[in-house]
Amino acid sequence: PCTLRHGDVLMTHGPAYGILDRCSGGNRAGCEDLLKAIRERIVPIFVCGHIHEAYGVARDRGTLFVNASTCTLRYQATNAPVMFDAPPVEELRAAMQWAREAAAAAAEVGTDSDSSAAPALASDCP
């Protein structure tokens, strides 16, 4: 069971299920319990790296997911390091509060919340 309570950045070895977890054979290798824990807590930034071929960045329900594996499937260290600027913690937490409220409102009406309408963070700007 996951004992995560709250945090601004969550870093694990393996990915959450369904996000940056697809293996070269097409199967998903992420952890369903981890995805559930992230969604229940609305973690702003999640970083992993285990599935080398799923290297990249994605957003889902207000969370920035980063698979920062620098190695390829064949263990060649050719993927560029992933660097990003996180917004000031107050701004990050304010945006996540908005995401929590949107998710709660969506749950009340039985729809999925749309994180694309979330307030922009300073790190989203060029």
Side-chain angles (χ1 to χ4, degrees):
C2 180
T3 58
L4 173 69
R5 287 188 174 78
H6 175 75
D8 299 318
V9 178
L10 173 62
M11 186 179 303
T12 65
H13 179 74
Y17 182 81
I19 303 170
L20 301 173
D21 72 331
R22 192 173 299 278
C23 295
S24 61
N27 60 312
R28 298 259 183 210
C31 176
E32 292 180 15
D33 289 334
L34 179 57
L35 179 63
K36 180 180 177 193
I38 291 168
R39 287 186 172 163
E40 285 174 353
R41 290 151 186 86
I42 309 182
V43 176
I45 301 169
F46 172 74
V47 181
C48 68
H50 178 60
I51 307 303
H52 299 187
E53 57 269 42
Y55 164 84
V57 177
R59 286 192 87 146
D60 180 72
R61 297 185 187 187
T63 299
L64 173 66
F65 287 82
V66 179
N67 180 326
S69 177
T70 56
C71 291
T72 65
L73 178 61
R74 304 216 183 275
Y75 294 94
Q76 299 298 310
T78 57
N79 290 339
V82 176
M83 296 180 62
F84 60 92
D85 292 323
V89 70
E90 297 81 14
E91 189 178 332
L92 183 65
R93 289 181 181 165
M96 294 316 296
Q97 179 61 35
W98 182 93
R100 282 186 191 91
E101 292 168 4
E108 286 181 18
V109 295
T111 63
D112 197 11
S113 63
D114 180 11
S115 63
S116 65
L121 298 173
S123 61
D124 289 340
C125 301

